[in-house]
Amino acid sequence: MDLWLIVWIVVGAALLAAEIFTTTFILLMFAIGAFAAAGAAALGAGVPVQAAVFAAGSALSFLAVRPTLKRYMRRDVRDMQMGVEALEGSTALVIEAVDHDSGQIKIDGELWRARPYDATQTFAIGERVRVIEIKGATAMVWKD
């Protein structure tokens, strides 16, 4: 086995191990470059080519991979809607005519009591409506 192949694999593994403790996604990008250089060494490339592959692999991973990882890690749990908040804005099918007194819709397979968001509107069976908000156990809907 080529000495440089082993060197690049050891360097990549060491950088990965160090990244675990820093969690900055900087050392990870260099580890990607080191593993790319190990691939070049395995294919028989010379040391200058391996160094170029290391530099290019590291730079490309900084440009392409790191922003995606940082965006994923910075996402806020509050941005993920759950419960009835997740239903707001979704499309529903009118199952029972909806007016200011009664009505029923189906949202993602679930039946919900519904009222028009604008009390003067009515919706016939089979119409598509948009859920504007959920008040208690009642969906307030609008013509989609």
Side-chain angles (χ1 to χ4, degrees), residues 83-95 105-112 128-131:
V84 295
E85 291 85 23
L87 297 175
E88 293 175 358
S90 62
T91 303
L93 178 66
V94 176
I95 301 298
I105 58 172
K106 185 182 278 192
I107 308 170
D108 293 331
E110 295 182 1
L111 296 178
W112 280 79
R128 294 266 176 205
V129 293
R130 174 89 43 205
V131 178

Side-chain angles (χ1 to χ4, degrees), residues 4-75:
W4 281 103
L5 172 64
I6 295 170
V7 168
W8 287 118
I9 290 174
V10 169
V11 168
L15 288 168
L16 275 179
E19 177 62 40
I20 292 171
F21 297 106
T22 63
T23 65
T24 59
F25 299 124
I26 292 174
L27 298 177
L28 176 64
M29 302 307 116
F30 288 116
I32 291 171
F35 288 129
L43 294 174
V47 175
V49 173
Q50 294 172 28
V53 169
F54 170 74
S58 298
L60 287 175
S61 62
F62 267 103
L63 294 174
V65 177
R66 190 167 186 259
T68 303
L69 286 174
K70 285 183 73 168
R71 190 170 39 253
Y72 177 77
M73 295 303 288
R74 286 192 178 147
R75 75 185 192 285

Side-chain angles (χ1 to χ4, degrees), residues 109-142:
E110 295 182 1
L111 296 178
W112 280 79
R113 189 172 30 191
R115 300 292 176 271
Y117 191 72
D118 177 1
T120 61
Q121 290 183 325
T122 60
F123 306 109
I125 295 172
E127 284 189 78
R128 294 266 176 205
V129 293
R130 174 89 43 205
V131 178
I132 302 299
E133 68 177 314
I134 304 291
K135 286 187 177 181
T138 303
M140 304 304 289
V141 297
W142 188 267

